[in-house]
């Protein structure tokens, strides 16, 4: 039996990355996590797995990414390379960066699950509000009616309406004043008749 002198024990990944004190072991376990992530990402591409299996796979992939992040932090602490600064962003098949909330990403068929699809549908931004200056920019004298008389039609229509109004008001005045004049004439005749009677008596 050969003694395991100086060789790391790689049979089981330590539960915590901080338990590992060897840079080579930390690099190995990070590589192992990347292989597991690759297998699961390939598996989640199959939309025929069923909703529950796809959700479980997506959860597992996100957990593996969390573990990978811990191992990368440990590698950096042990004096190794800083993988987080050189890591490329993750993109989907359409070339869009994988979206998620709070670091949670959706892979493959998980993007088409009910409830997830709405996360990726971007709402159109509301139209920008116009400033007061923009609102008043297109207001000219026509808006206030200052140039309505320029075409000549309005002046003719106003003149006709003015003549009709004057004629109507004159008729009303004459009708009102004519009855008042008759009433004054009747009162004057009554007074003169009364005075004549008084003088005869």
């Amino acid at each position: 039996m050969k003694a395991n002198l100086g060789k790391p024990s790689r049979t089981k990944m330590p539960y915590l990355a901080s338990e590992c004190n060897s840079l080579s072991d930390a690099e190995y376990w990070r590589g192992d996590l990347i292989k597991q992530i690759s297998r699961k990402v390939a598996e989640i591409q199959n939309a025929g797995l069923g909703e529950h299996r796809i959700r479980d796979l997506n959860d597992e992939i996100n957990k593996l990414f969390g573990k990978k992040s811990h191992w990368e932090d440990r590698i950096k602490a042990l004096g190794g390379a800083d993988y987080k600064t050189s890591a490329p962003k993750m993109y989907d098949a359409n070339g869009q960066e994988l979206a998620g909330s709070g670091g949670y990403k959706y892979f493959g068929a998980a993007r088409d699950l009910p409830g997830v699809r709405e996360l990726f549908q971007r709402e159109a931004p509301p139209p920008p509000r116009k400033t007061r200056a923009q609102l008043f920019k297109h207001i000219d004298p026509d808006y206030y009616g200052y140039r309505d008389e320029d075409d000549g039609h309005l002046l003719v229509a106003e003149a006709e309406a003015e003549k009709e109004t004057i004629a109507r008001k004159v008729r009303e005045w004459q009708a009102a004043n004519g009855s008042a004049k008759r009433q004054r004439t009747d009162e004057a005749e009554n007074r003169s008749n009364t005075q004549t009677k008084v003088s005869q008596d």
Side-chain angles (χ1 to χ4, degrees):
M1 225 165 140
K2 293 184 178 177
N4 236 355
L5 299 174
K7 291 188 178 180
S9 169
R10 295 182 180 165
T11 56
K12 186 177 177 191
M13 181 186 297
Y15 182 72
L16 297 174
S18 59
E19 294 175 358
C20 179
N21 294 320
S22 168
L23 180 61
S24 63
D25 281 353
E27 293 275 359
Y28 174 81
W29 293 121
R30 178 185 173 273
D32 187 52
L33 286 171
I34 291 173
K35 288 177 190 172
Q36 291 178 39
I37 290 170
S38 297
R39 279 194 300 270
K40 290 188 186 288
V41 167
E43 187 180 352
I44 202 170
Q45 302 301 323
N46 182 4
L49 292 174
E51 182 180 343
H52 296 294
R53 178 67 182 142
I54 290 172
R55 286 188 191 277
D56 290 343
L57 270 174
N58 201 68
D59 289 342
E60 291 171 19
I61 292 170
N62 277 289
K63 286 178 187 173
L64 289 173
F65 269 109
K67 283 184 181 179
K68 182 172 106 32
S69 174
H70 291 301
W71 281 102
E72 288 171 349
D73 290 340
R74 185 62 184 159
I75 290 169
K76 185 179 176 186
L78 292 171
D82 187 4
Y83 291 106
K84 288 187 177 180
T85 57
S86 61
K89 292 183 177 179
M90 291 184 284
Y91 296 97
D92 65 1
N94 300 330
Q96 296 177 341
E97 185 177 356
L98 284 175
S101 57
Y104 193 88
K105 307 282 185 192
Y106 293 93
F107 301 90
R111 293 175 57 88
D112 298 326
L113 292 174
V116 177
R117 203 173 300 126
E118 289 80 28
L119 291 174
F120 300 108
Q121 293 173 348
R122 294 192 175 122
E123 294 180 15
R129 292 186 56 142
K130 291 187 176 183
T131 63
R132 186 178 300 266
Q134 289 172 332
L135 291 173
F136 287 121
K137 183 178 180 180
H138 300 293
I139 293 179
D140 54 6
D142 290 333
Y143 177 80
Y144 295 106
Y146 289 144
R147 292 190 275 196
D148 289 345
E149 297 88 13
D150 290 351
D151 62 0
H153 298 294
L154 185 62
L155 293 175
V156 172
E158 282 180 351
E160 290 175 6
E162 187 178 359
K163 285 179 187 174
E164 290 173 9
T165 305
I166 290 172
R168 184 171 34 90
K169 290 292 183 183
V170 166
R171 285 193 302 272
E172 289 174 5
W173 182 80
Q174 287 174 345
N177 287 338
S179 63
K181 192 175 189 180
R182 271 185 250 119
Q183 187 178 6
R184 282 193 301 265
T185 308
D186 291 343
E187 288 175 4
E189 286 178 8
N190 287 341
R191 266 186 267 138
S192 64
N193 288 340
T194 310
Q195 290 174 356
T196 312
K197 284 182 187 179
V198 170
S199 56
Q200 289 175 358
D201 290 337

